[in-house]
Protein backbone atom coordinates (compact mmCIF):
# COMPACT_ATOMS: atom_id res chain seq x y z
CA UNK A 1 0.00 0.00 0.00
CA UNK A 2 2.85 2.40 0.81
CA UNK A 3 4.64 1.72 -2.48
CA UNK A 4 1.36 2.06 -4.38
CA UNK A 5 0.71 5.50 -2.83
CA UNK A 6 4.25 6.62 -3.60
CA UNK A 7 4.10 5.52 -7.23
CA UNK A 8 0.60 6.90 -7.81
CA UNK A 9 1.45 10.18 -6.06
CA UNK A 10 4.67 10.56 -8.04
CA UNK A 11 2.91 9.82 -11.33
CA UNK A 12 0.06 12.18 -10.48
CA UNK A 13 2.62 14.81 -9.46
CA UNK A 14 4.34 14.59 -12.85
CA UNK A 15 1.01 14.98 -14.62
CA UNK A 16 -0.04 17.87 -12.42
CA UNK A 17 3.34 19.58 -12.88
CA UNK A 18 2.99 19.52 -16.67
CA UNK A 19 -0.59 20.80 -16.38
CA UNK A 20 0.60 23.48 -13.96
CA UNK A 21 2.87 24.93 -16.65
CA UNK A 22 -0.23 25.86 -18.65
CA UNK A 23 -1.99 27.17 -15.54
CA UNK A 24 1.12 29.19 -14.66
CA UNK A 25 1.35 30.76 -18.11
CA UNK A 26 -2.35 31.66 -18.13
CA UNK A 27 -2.33 33.20 -14.64
CA UNK A 28 0.98 34.94 -15.36
CA UNK A 29 -0.57 36.61 -18.42
CA UNK A 30 -3.27 38.03 -16.15
CA UNK A 31 -0.81 38.94 -13.38
CA UNK A 32 1.38 40.88 -15.82
CA UNK A 33 -1.34 43.49 -16.09
CA UNK A 34 -1.25 44.31 -12.36
CA UNK A 35 0.91 46.76 -10.46
CA UNK A 36 2.38 43.94 -8.34
CA UNK A 37 4.19 42.32 -11.25
CA UNK A 38 7.18 44.66 -10.97
CA UNK A 39 7.75 43.50 -7.39
CA UNK A 40 7.46 39.87 -8.45
CA UNK A 41 10.03 40.34 -11.21
CA UNK A 42 12.78 40.88 -8.64
CA UNK A 43 12.20 37.86 -6.41
CA UNK A 44 15.30 36.27 -4.95
CA UNK A 45 14.73 33.21 -2.78
CA UNK A 46 18.34 32.08 -2.54
CA UNK A 47 20.97 34.79 -2.87
CA UNK A 48 23.89 32.63 -1.81
CA UNK A 49 25.84 30.99 -4.63
CA UNK A 50 27.14 28.47 -2.10
CA UNK A 51 23.61 27.41 -1.08
CA UNK A 52 22.60 27.14 -4.75
CA UNK A 53 25.51 24.76 -5.24
CA UNK A 54 24.55 22.73 -2.16
CA UNK A 55 21.01 22.15 -3.41
CA UNK A 56 22.31 21.12 -6.83
CA UNK A 57 21.26 23.96 -9.12
CA UNK A 58 24.37 23.37 -11.28
CA UNK A 59 23.27 19.76 -11.87
CA UNK A 60 19.78 20.93 -12.71
CA UNK A 61 21.27 23.49 -15.12
CA UNK A 62 23.25 20.70 -16.80
CA UNK A 63 20.08 18.60 -17.17
CA UNK A 64 18.21 21.51 -18.74
CA UNK A 65 21.05 22.29 -21.15
CA UNK A 66 21.75 18.69 -22.19
CA UNK A 67 18.35 16.98 -22.40
CA UNK A 68 15.06 17.52 -24.20
CA UNK A 69 14.24 20.35 -21.77
CA UNK A 70 16.54 22.64 -23.80
CA UNK A 71 13.88 22.72 -26.53
CA UNK A 72 11.11 24.05 -24.28
CA UNK A 73 11.74 27.80 -24.11
CA UNK A 74 13.79 28.89 -27.09
CA UNK A 75 13.45 32.57 -26.16
CA UNK A 76 15.90 32.04 -23.28
CA UNK A 77 18.89 31.38 -25.50
CA UNK A 78 21.78 33.74 -26.11
CA UNK A 79 22.36 33.54 -29.84
CA UNK A 80 25.33 35.91 -30.01
CA UNK A 81 26.96 38.80 -28.19
CA UNK A 82 24.44 41.25 -29.66
CA UNK A 83 21.46 39.58 -28.00
CA UNK A 84 19.37 42.03 -25.99
CA UNK A 85 19.97 41.00 -22.37
CA UNK A 86 17.00 43.04 -21.16
CA UNK A 87 14.72 41.00 -23.41
CA UNK A 88 16.27 37.73 -22.20
CA UNK A 89 15.79 38.90 -18.59
CA UNK A 90 12.14 39.71 -19.30
CA UNK A 91 11.58 36.22 -20.74
CA UNK A 92 13.32 34.69 -17.71
CA UNK A 93 11.01 36.63 -15.42
CA UNK A 94 7.98 35.33 -17.33
CA UNK A 95 9.27 31.78 -17.02
CA UNK A 96 10.19 32.16 -13.36
CA UNK A 97 6.83 33.54 -12.28
CA UNK A 98 4.93 31.00 -14.40
CA UNK A 99 6.84 28.19 -12.67
CA UNK A 100 6.17 29.72 -9.24
CA UNK A 101 2.46 29.91 -10.01
CA UNK A 102 2.61 26.31 -11.21
CA UNK A 103 4.44 25.27 -8.05
CA UNK A 104 1.79 26.92 -5.89
CA UNK A 105 -1.00 25.32 -7.92
CA UNK A 106 0.42 21.80 -7.50
CA UNK A 107 1.18 22.46 -3.82
CA UNK A 108 -2.47 23.38 -3.23
CA UNK A 109 -3.60 20.22 -5.04
CA UNK A 110 -1.09 18.23 -2.94
CA UNK A 111 -2.54 19.68 0.27
CA UNK A 112 -6.01 18.69 -0.87
CA UNK A 113 -4.82 15.19 -1.86
CA UNK A 114 -2.97 14.94 1.46
CA UNK A 115 -6.26 15.41 3.28
CA UNK A 116 -8.39 13.25 0.99
CA UNK A 117 -5.94 10.51 -0.09
CA UNK A 118 -3.05 10.55 2.33
CA UNK A 119 0.07 12.43 3.29
CA UNK A 120 2.36 9.97 1.51
CA UNK A 121 0.52 10.53 -1.76
CA UNK A 122 0.86 14.31 -1.31
CA UNK A 123 4.56 14.03 -0.44
CA UNK A 124 5.19 11.95 -3.56
CA UNK A 125 3.33 14.59 -5.62
CA UNK A 126 5.65 17.29 -4.35
CA UNK A 127 8.84 15.59 -5.56
CA UNK A 128 8.17 16.17 -9.27
CA UNK A 129 6.65 19.55 -8.42
CA UNK A 130 9.92 20.68 -6.84
CA UNK A 131 11.94 19.33 -9.77
CA UNK A 132 9.66 20.60 -12.54
CA UNK A 133 8.51 23.92 -11.05
CA UNK A 134 10.58 25.12 -8.10
CA UNK A 135 14.07 24.29 -9.43
CA UNK A 136 13.39 25.94 -12.81
CA UNK A 137 12.30 29.05 -10.93
CA UNK A 138 15.49 29.02 -8.84
CA UNK A 139 17.55 28.54 -12.00
CA UNK A 140 15.88 31.55 -13.62
CA UNK A 141 16.62 33.62 -10.52
CA UNK A 142 20.28 32.65 -10.67
CA UNK A 143 20.47 33.44 -14.38
CA UNK A 144 18.76 36.80 -13.85
CA UNK A 145 21.37 37.68 -11.20
CA UNK A 146 24.12 36.86 -13.72
CA UNK A 147 22.43 39.01 -16.38
CA UNK A 148 21.96 41.85 -13.89
CA UNK A 149 25.67 41.69 -13.12
CA UNK A 150 26.57 41.97 -16.82
CA UNK A 151 24.06 44.79 -17.35
CA UNK A 152 25.44 46.69 -14.34
CA UNK A 153 28.98 46.34 -15.68
CA UNK A 154 27.86 47.57 -19.11
CA UNK A 155 26.08 50.58 -17.64
CA UNK A 156 29.11 51.39 -15.46
CA UNK A 157 31.36 51.29 -18.53
CA UNK A 158 29.12 53.64 -20.54
CA UNK A 159 28.68 56.13 -17.67
Amino acid sequence: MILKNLVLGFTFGISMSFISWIVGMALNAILMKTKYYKKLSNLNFIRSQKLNRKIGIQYFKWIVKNTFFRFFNQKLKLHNRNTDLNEIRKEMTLSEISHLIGFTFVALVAIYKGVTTGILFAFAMMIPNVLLNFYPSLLQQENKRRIDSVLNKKSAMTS
Side-chain angles (χ1 to χ4, degrees), residues 13-127:
I14 290 171
S15 301
M16 286 303 299
S17 293
F18 280 108
I19 291 168
S20 75
W21 292 350
I22 297 166
V23 171
M25 287 187 284
L27 291 178
N28 194 20
I30 295 168
L31 193 61
M32 284 173 56
K33 295 175 171 93
T34 68
K35 61 183 177 181
Y36 304 107
Y37 197 77
K38 179 71 174 161
K39 291 178 185 177
L40 287 175
S41 68
N42 293 311
L43 289 176
N44 226 344
F45 294 131
I46 301 176
R47 295 176 200 263
S48 166
Q49 190 70 17
K50 188 183 273 187
L51 184 55
N52 269 341
R53 238 178 288 140
K54 283 184 180 182
I55 65 170
I57 290 293
Q58 76 274 17
Y59 301 116
F60 184 77
K61 183 188 291 187
W62 184 91
I63 290 169
V64 169
K65 285 172 59 175
N66 296 300
T67 65
F68 66 92
F69 288 109
R70 73 175 176 259
F71 299 114
F72 279 0
N73 195 344
Q74 293 294 308
K75 293 179 182 178
L76 296 179
K77 291 197 186 261
L78 290 174
H79 298 289
N80 56 41
R81 289 195 169 276
N82 296 328
T83 303
D84 184 8
L85 292 180
N86 287 312
E87 188 63 31
I88 296 285
R89 189 185 191 290
K90 180 182 160 209
E91 290 297 328
M92 284 182 177
T93 301
L94 286 170
S95 177
E96 171 196 1
I97 294 174
S98 293
H99 278 293
L100 286 175
I101 292 168
F103 178 80
T104 305
F105 173 74
V106 176
L108 291 172
V109 172
I111 291 169
Y112 172 77
K113 293 302 269 182
V115 171
T116 60
T117 305
I119 194 76
L120 197 57
F121 188 93
F123 175 74
M125 271 185 71
M126 288 303 292
I127 294 169

